[in-house]
Amino acid sequence: MRQAGRYLPEYRAIREKTDFLTLCKTPELASEVTVQPVDIIGVDAAILFSDILVIPEAMGMHLEMIESKGPTFDDPIRSQADLARLNTEGVTDRLQYVMDAIKVTKEKLAGRVPLIGFSGAPWTLATYMVEGKGTRNFDVIKQMIYTDPAAAHDLLRILSDSVVDYLNAKIRAGCDAVQIFDTWAGILAPNDLEEFSLRYIKYICERLETNGAPVIVFAKGVNSLEKLVDLKCDVIGLDWTMDIGDARSRIGNTKALQGNLDPCVLFAPKEKIKQEAERVLENYGTGSGHVFNLGHGILPTTPVENTQYLVRCVKELSPKYHR
Ligand code: CP3
């Protein structure tokens, strides 16, 4: 998860010469950055370099990646009337550069590892589109769901249809699996979670033409896993706040689990990294259905050698759990 990025000097070298969106929109460069972690840290899957916010950008919103501030839109959606500004027809056509990047990446990977494509979930996309920038309290989007729920639902519906189209195109273009990121699901009260987040993820999962590609749902901060078991997906991603063994016993064998090492463990000394990796493997226990992963993205100040060490540890330690 976010395995490409600023912690890699090879990524920073490309970013010095290219702004973030140009990188996303140039298949040759996006594919190069996608393959970097496969070559440098030795992970078992590549995740296509892109961003969840290319969908609102393709709808006509002006996206800027501001160093130290994160992603911003200077023209946020604040009302029903603002929805009319969104260019919702032909969104996937304007994202053809993503499909081109998939094709080039698949050539570069030459079957070495599978390629994961992704999308933001409607709720998380809406959060960025309405807030316009990073936020601590999510008060602007919450104001919308409490004062004008109809506008919020209209936005979420528009996004859901685009996500279905977009992920289906990614699968057709060659992605071997797709992941839906609902990074901000955890900020919602239980009722609202159902109404503004999960309902739309369910809608999307039911409409994916997977052709056998596994579907991964990562709803960060959602610890009531029982709410996710009925989704038509294959894998549930977990952040690090849950015991993965406990999650396994609650979920049963209906879904695989992906996770869930705290990415900050990568700042620890080597012995601690190994111990914590083994703890995750041990907690899940024996049998198949575990995709070892971090519980969120790699942070920019993470030492590269620690990520390499973690991958080595997992490769060395995990086989005994898979008998
Ligand atoms: O290699 C990979 O894992 C694929 C790359 C990837 C990026 N964004 C590239 C990126 C993925 C999977 C994403 C998803 C994404 N983008 C999410 C969902 C997953 C999550 O982490 O919760 C979200 C919420 C976003 C929105 C976004 N884009 C944020 C919050 C940021 C970080 C801002 C910052 O300054 O740290 C981005 C920018 C971004 N997307 C970077 C990368 C490598 C860093 C920006 C840079 O190079 O300047």
Side-chain angles (χ1 to χ4, degrees):
M1 188 178 320
R2 287 251 209 110
Q3 60 190 20
R6 285 168 294 181
Y7 78 104
L8 287 175
E10 293 82 352
Y11 173 85
R12 288 201 304 273
I14 292 178
R15 271 286 277 120
E16 262 167 37
K17 292 177 281 176
T18 325
D19 71 87
F20 184 78
L21 258 182
T22 306
L23 184 48
C24 292
K25 291 185 177 184
T26 313
E28 188 50 44
L29 290 177
S31 62
E32 184 177 341
V33 167
T34 301
V35 178
Q36 283 177 349
V38 176
D39 292 335
I40 299 166
I41 74 173
V43 284
D44 289 326
I47 179 156
L48 183 75
F49 183 81
S50 185
D51 199 82
I52 61 167
L53 300 175
V54 296
I55 287 186
E57 206 266 341
M59 290 180 174
M61 293 185 74
H62 179 231
L63 172 65
E64 271 187 288
M65 246 349 132
I66 301 174
E67 187 82 47
S68 80
K69 263 182 86 182
T72 56
F73 291 112
D74 57 14
D75 49 357
I77 301 294
R78 292 288 158 80
S79 65
Q80 185 87 43
D82 287 342
L83 294 178
R85 281 202 264 121
L86 296 174
N87 183 0
T88 58
E89 295 298 315
V91 174
T92 300
D93 297 339
R94 286 189 292 285
L95 292 167
Q96 181 57 39
Y97 62 84
V98 178
M99 312 312 149
D100 295 341
I102 292 169
K103 285 175 193 141
V104 182
T105 305
K106 289 289 286 183
E107 281 164 23
K108 286 188 178 160
L109 290 173
R112 277 184 291 160
V113 295
L115 176 64
I116 306 173
F118 66 91
S119 170
W123 168 251
T124 290
L125 292 173
T127 300
Y128 283 100
M129 292 165 82
V130 172
E131 294 279 346
K133 57 182 181 343
T135 165
R136 197 179 283 263
N137 298 322
F138 298 89
D139 46 312
V140 186
I141 179 83
K142 287 199 176 176
Q143 198 169 315
M144 185 188 265
I145 68 172
Y146 293 130
T147 61
D148 194 358
H153 281 300
D154 282 350
L155 174 58
L156 292 164
R157 264 192 297 271
I158 289 170
L159 287 168
S160 300
D161 286 324
S162 294
V163 170
V164 169
D165 234 45
Y166 179 57
L167 286 179
N168 281 337
K170 278 185 157 174
I171 295 167
R172 282 196 305 275
C175 284
D176 302 288
V178 288
Q179 174 151 350
I180 300 169
F181 285 103
D182 209 356
T183 304
W184 302 123
I187 64 157
L188 288 165
N191 250 341
D192 297 329
L193 175 70
E194 204 61 58
E195 180 177 347
F196 295 98
S197 159
L198 299 183
R199 175 205 290 198
Y200 294 100
I201 295 179
K202 180 169 185 287
Y203 175 95
I204 293 164
C205 289
E206 283 167 2
R207 284 160 183 78
L208 292 179
E209 292 152 14
T210 63
N211 197 17
V215 176
I216 310 159
V217 172
F218 175 64
K220 188 167 182 293
V222 176
N223 288 5
S224 24
L225 294 174
E226 293 70 17
K227 295 188 173 175
L228 305 176
V229 283
D230 293 330
L231 291 174
K232 196 165 168 274
C233 69
D234 305 281
V235 187
I236 292 176
L238 302 176
D239 67 25
W240 60 91
T241 61
M242 239 182 297
D243 180 309
I244 195 169
D246 187 35
R248 186 184 188 185
S249 56
R250 282 163 59 193
I251 286 248
N253 284 329
T254 54
K255 306 270 189 246
L257 294 175
Q258 176 173 294
N260 72 338
L261 187 72
D262 185 335
C264 290
V265 166
L266 290 170
F267 295 115
K270 297 249 180 350
E271 314 78 76
K272 182 71 176 166
I273 294 174
K274 186 167 192 173
Q275 207 178 61
E276 292 299 317
E278 177 122 51
R279 191 198 306 279
V280 171
L281 291 166
E282 182 72 44
N283 283 351
Y284 184 85
T286 47
S288 64
H290 180 205
V291 181
F292 188 97
N293 195 8
L294 299 176
H296 205 185
I298 299 179
L299 294 163
T301 50
T302 303
V304 178
E305 61 169 302
N306 289 3
T307 62
Q308 293 166 323
Y309 181 69
L310 172 66
V311 172
R312 279 206 303 279
C313 286
V314 174
K315 288 185 176 176
E316 176 195 316
L317 298 169
S318 63
K320 71 170 186 253
Y321 296 96
H322 288 286
R323 295 236 171 81

